[in-house]
């Protein structure tokens, strides 16, 4: 769940201590309502080209 900016173990030192990394929080890619509408319109046109 690195997208939330959490820490994780990434290895161990020779003495056995754990190495941790803190990941920066990052936004996942998504679709807006306009994107979804365009995708549905495009897909519908490909499935039934005579509908337009």
């Amino acid at each position: 769940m690195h997208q939330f900016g959490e820490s994780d173990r990434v290895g161990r030192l020779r003495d056995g201590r754990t190495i941790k990394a803190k990941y920066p929080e990052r936004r996942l890619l998504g679709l807006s309502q306009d994107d979804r509408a365009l995708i549905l319109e495009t897909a519908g046109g490909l499935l039934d080209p005579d509908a337009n």
Side-chain angles (χ1 to χ4, degrees):
M1 302 257 242
H2 299 145
Q3 71 268 18
F4 298 120
E6 296 179 4
S7 297
D8 198 4
R9 292 186 310 237
V10 294
R12 292 195 178 273
L13 297 172
R14 289 182 182 180
D15 64 6
R17 289 183 295 157
T18 301
I19 302 170
K20 286 188 171 186
K22 171 88 167 105
Y23 294 92
E25 186 174 345
R26 59 184 184 252
R27 184 175 174 196
L28 295 179
L29 298 176
L31 299 174
S32 69
Q33 289 296 80
D34 289 341
D35 293 332
R36 291 172 195 234
L38 178 61
I39 290 168
L40 290 173
E41 182 180 328
T42 302
L46 293 170
L47 293 173
D48 187 6
D50 296 328
N52 292 333

